[in-house]
Amino acid sequence: MRSRDYDLEFRERAARTRDVGALLLVVAGLLWGWCAILLMTEYSIETDRGNERECAARLFTDRGTANEGVYNGDYCADERDWPEALLVLGLSLPVALAGTALVTTGSVSRRMSAHAQAMRELDRLADKREKQTGA
């Protein structure tokens, strides 16, 4: 395989690595969005008697229905609990870290390949100039 062909294939692999990393970052962003929805939106639940009860958002409540629901006879606290939102946030961290690592690796690999090609071209031009001035 010629060095030019190898270099082009290397760049394609680096671009694919970068694209997979970007996809992982999008997935992490979606998980962060889901966590934000769980924490910032109001929600309603169905009580034991079949009635609907409005519950305050988990993040914006101060001793409201989401925190004192069980004591008041409804189940707002059980419907959207903190561990679920924190689990979603916790799952997004390794995905975001892997995505960041892959985007960085792919981008740096492409830049280094382009730099190496530019250096080879400069060396070729310098050799050509030396042959012209030396001959």
Side-chain angles (χ1 to χ4, degrees):
M1 178 180 280
R2 308 222 15 133
S3 66
R4 183 181 188 290
D5 295 334
Y6 177 79
D7 192 45
L8 291 175
E9 184 179 321
F10 179 80
R11 287 184 194 190
E12 288 173 11
R13 282 194 319 263
R16 283 193 302 268
T17 300
R18 186 190 63 209
D19 293 343
V20 169
L23 180 65
L24 286 176
L25 287 174
V26 167
V27 169
L30 291 173
L31 287 171
W32 290 334
W34 183 19
C35 181
I37 287 172
L38 287 175
L39 293 177
M40 295 182 192
T41 58
E42 294 182 355
Y43 56 100
S44 61
I45 61 164
E46 189 173 322
T47 62
D48 291 339
R49 297 185 183 112
N51 300 328
E52 283 207 10
R53 167 102 173 153
E54 290 293 320
C55 299
R58 291 295 280 166
L59 193 61
F60 300 126
T61 184
D62 185 30
R63 309 289 300 164
T65 58
N67 293 324
E68 295 179 354
V70 175
Y71 302 121
N72 293 333
D74 63 40
Y75 300 96
C76 289
D78 292 337
E79 185 68 22
R80 281 196 187 167
D81 207 6
W82 284 103
E84 180 184 359
L86 293 178
L87 175 70
V88 172
L89 189 62
L91 288 175
S92 72
L93 291 178
V95 174
L97 290 174
T100 302
L102 289 175
V103 166
T104 303
T105 301
S107 297
V108 168
S109 296
R110 278 186 69 111
R111 296 277 304 196
M112 291 302 294
S113 175
H115 175 73
Q117 180 183 1
M119 293 304 294
R120 284 191 301 271
E121 185 66 24
L122 288 173
D123 287 343
R124 187 184 65 79
L125 290 173
D127 289 344
K128 185 177 178 182
R129 181 174 291 157
E130 282 180 10
K131 286 181 184 178
Q132 287 176 351
T133 58

